Amino acid sequence: MSIKVLLVDDETLARERLRCLLADCTEPAAITVGEAANAVQAVTFLQHHEADVVLLDIHMPGMDGLALVHTLRALPKPPVVVFVTAYAEHAVQAFELEALDYLTKPVRLERLQATLQKVERLTQVNKALEPDLTDNYLVIQERGRTERVPLEQVLYLKAELKYITVRTAARSFILEGALAELEARYASRFMRIHRNALVARRAVRALEKHHDPEEGEGWAVRLDGIDEVLVVSRRQLAAVRGLVRRL
């Protein structure tokens, strides 16, 4: 398959270099389906065309790349996001926004090819997921095997840099994908309690005071089947309280 790529960078030379590198990619091959010099152009393009991945600069006039990610999530079929920038200090924030990868300029061909391989694997996993949605399973590729994990066994989904931890009472799995996409697909089963975590509504047992080393005093939820507690953000606290009251 050829990966369809949208280039978003306000620098013409930067887009030209990426376009040339993409033309040299073979495993998988890539095709540049469009270019945009700013966020508005990118959104306009994606409203009328499809792309598998957006290679996105962070620092641009107007809406920057980090803010653009939130807009892209609202699209009917959001593309995978890969940040391409000279500023390595934004890497952590990029992965918190569930970017698939983070490339620093000048981009090397070998590094770009490895990123496209990640996009290809994620695309294949998403395609495998689609027929199983009505069967209430997550399809997880792990160590060369395909695992079908019933959603009714999943207690929480937690974004961990490039991956999502899928936790059941028995064990954890690693899933490639975007937390926001899973939230949209399974809104009736899971609720967001933090920017990086969804919990199964049926599994919530209690809301309790909690001290987190990073976030300080706050709240956490306790789930059936595991001893681990999960931090609740201030933004999501009211919704979690409402759920607990209905239990």
Side-chain angles (χ1 to χ4, degrees), residues 8-26:
V8 184
D9 196 309
D10 62 306
E11 297 181 3
T12 303
L13 290 177
R15 298 198 306 272
E16 181 179 346
R17 172 171 171 74
L18 280 174
R19 189 169 62 249
C20 291
L21 287 174
L22 287 166
D24 290 335
C25 291
T26 57

Side-chain angles (χ1 to χ4, degrees), residues 63-95:
M63 183 189 299
D64 68 12
L66 297 173
L68 176 58
V69 172
H70 296 286
T71 302
L72 297 182
R73 286 176 181 166
L75 295 173
K77 191 174 181 181
V80 174
V81 172
V82 172
F83 284 109
V84 184
T85 179
Y87 301 93
E89 64 268 22
H90 290 294
V92 173
Q93 190 174 2
F95 287 129

Side-chain angles (χ1 to χ4, degrees), residues 123-225:
T123 301
Q124 291 172 345
V125 168
N126 286 341
K127 286 182 178 179
L129 261 175
E130 289 173 1
D132 290 288
L133 292 179
T134 55
D135 294 334
N136 297 320
Y137 284 91
L138 286 178
V139 177
I140 297 175
Q141 307 290 336
E142 192 171 81
R143 297 186 182 90
R145 298 190 310 165
T146 300
E147 297 270 0
R148 287 166 53 92
V149 181
L151 282 173
E152 64 184 17
Q153 295 180 11
V154 177
L155 300 176
Y156 70 74
L157 302 158
K158 189 173 183 181
E160 308 277 1
L161 293 179
K162 302 179 184 181
Y163 305 99
I164 295 172
T165 296
V166 179
R167 184 71 160 92
T168 68
R171 59 166 293 193
S172 296
F173 301 86
I174 298 299
L175 175 67
E176 290 191 35
L179 199 64
E181 181 181 346
L182 293 171
E183 180 183 22
R185 286 182 174 181
Y186 305 116
S188 63
R189 288 179 176 268
F190 298 93
M191 74 178 301
R192 186 175 289 271
I193 63 166
H194 198 276
R195 68 177 181 274
N196 68 350
L198 307 175
V199 298
R201 296 173 183 271
R202 59 161 184 81
V204 175
R205 187 166 83 236
L207 176 66
E208 57 189 45
K209 281 288 186 71
H210 177 74
H211 177 80
D212 183 78
E214 295 182 2
E215 303 192 20
E217 294 297 329
W219 295 83
V221 291
R222 192 169 292 279
L223 305 177
D224 286 326

Side-chain angles (χ1 to χ4, degrees), residues 24-89:
D24 290 335
C25 291
T26 57
E27 298 178 359
I31 178 171
T32 302
V33 294
E35 296 184 24
N38 54 56
V40 173
Q41 291 180 8
V43 172
T44 300
F45 178 88
L46 290 169
Q47 286 173 337
H48 300 91
H49 306 85
E50 286 189 3
D52 297 311
V53 59
V54 174
L55 298 185
L56 177 59
D57 189 22
I58 289 181
H59 290 282
M60 297 185 295
M63 183 189 299
D64 68 12
L66 297 173
L68 176 58
V69 172
H70 296 286
T71 302
L72 297 182
R73 286 176 181 166
L75 295 173
K77 191 174 181 181
V80 174
V81 172
V82 172
F83 284 109
V84 184
T85 179
Y87 301 93
E89 64 268 22

